[in-house]
Amino acid sequence: MHNEGAITVITAKRLTLALAAAGTIGGAVGAIAVNHNNAVASSPAAVSAAPLVASAASATPVNPGAPAPVAAGVMLPDFTALVSRNGPAVVNIRVMGSTKASMSQQRGRGAPQFDEDDPFFEFFRRFQGPQMPRGQQRDTPVFGAGSGFIISPDGVILTNAHVVRDAKEVTVKLQDRREYRAKVLGSDPKTDVAVLKIDAKNLPVVPIGKSSDLKVGEWVLAIGSPFGLESSVTAGVVSAKGRSLPDDSAVPFIQTDVAVNPGNSGGPLFNTKGEVVGINSQIYSQTGGYMGLSFAIPIDVAYRIKDQIVTTGKVQHAKLGVTVQEVNQGFADSFKLDSPEGALVSNVEKGGAADKAGIKSGDIIRKVNGQPIIASGDLPAMLSVAQPGEKVSLDVWRDGKIVRLDARLANASDKVAQDEREPAAGADQSAKLGLALRPLDPNEKRQSGISAGLVIEDAAGAASNAGVQPGDVLLSVNGRPVNSVEQVRDVVGKASKSVALLIQRGNDRIFIPVRIG
């Protein structure tokens, strides 16, 4: 069980001996208490008595003939002034909503639970007060809580969309204990940003920074109400930037090791200058509690969403119109890339922005407006800050070389035509892959809507090990559409280590790398 109050204490003597043995320092160092990732000096007196900078000037080289190491001292931040100045602009948010519940769901928690057909059900029902007729439902109150922060003196507040989702009543409580009923001006589930408004004036506000200026390893601080404990402060460092998560969002999250727990959602993430650089939004947890991974929405993204909500009352998102996959080493070998980086295009929406720009299935997008795409999730994260109608320049890897294409982004709410695919034929066995292939018959083409490809009747060997299944339809090999088994053999014969198979499985298109060497 995780001990919430546990701390590790490194005494001055032990720390001095450890560092002296490594040839790092030659003097005494004051005691440091470490709580998770937060190093905190206990008092101003302790700060003056125990310097927080270990100077490299006093270090003695291990090898007398070697030059002295060049290292700067590291000072642990003091967040007291930041919290005193900006804490009053952080608010606690309480939400009341409702959900539908049946009569059986609303029985007393302490009462025995019987099926409605059980003879004891009617006996106990009489002692539980008035009940609804069987099968009917009624609204049951649901309560939630989160955090937020004031960005304008007239009461505009930023928080998470999931904090106020389906809320019927939202109450904002300030640090001075004043409470206000809040109006939800708008929310965007795609980025998990919501804007609230309370009827007040001359409120304290937080300064806004630039999340783009954050650096990995930089100290950051969160203020919020974890588990309802208002105005709680936790600190840590930026663990990574531009992190994409496996959900419906397209946000380049800031990953930190700041302790964030339920109730912190919607609260601000500050840099050491006291500027808000993010909105604490998600945690990775197997227990529901903090496990060292927390994610914040960059304030640059949040402010773009806020501006749209305040100005128009709604949010529009840009869309390129592609489905992408991760480029692993197998794909890199198949497409002759020098490194497994980029976003592999497995599907292109007909009539969408990518289709009009000339992007094809099998292309690998390497850059957007000159910014490299390392992981496939980088692409939607970069596009999340763009507007519909905006023009972007794409560097695409195709047929062993870079092709530059320009695309004008569409609106994510626009509908596109159904995708169409190429013609096909062929049959027989592709022994090197372990595939038994045959052409689609007319009835299969009509039922599936696929006009091109080879039906995979059996998968064995390398293909089976890679995840290819009987019933899949093979559409292309290494980005080249295949209309016959001869074409498959031709492409596979020219490959050295692996091939990338574009597979239609049900309604999904996916690339599967198959090692052949």
Side-chain angles (χ1 to χ4, degrees), residues 479-503:
R480 177 182 169 186
V482 288
N483 297 325
S484 67
V485 173
E486 287 70 27
Q487 288 181 327
V488 175
R489 287 174 175 162
D490 180 53
V491 178
V492 173
K494 295 177 181 178
S496 57
K497 295 181 179 179
S498 64
V499 292
L501 307 182
L502 179 59
I503 297 297

Side-chain angles (χ1 to χ4, degrees), residues 104 107 111-121 124:
S104 59
R107 299 174 195 162
Q113 300 296 301
F114 296 103
D115 186 86
E116 294 185 4
D117 295 326
D118 192 290
F120 284 98
F121 171 78
F124 281 99

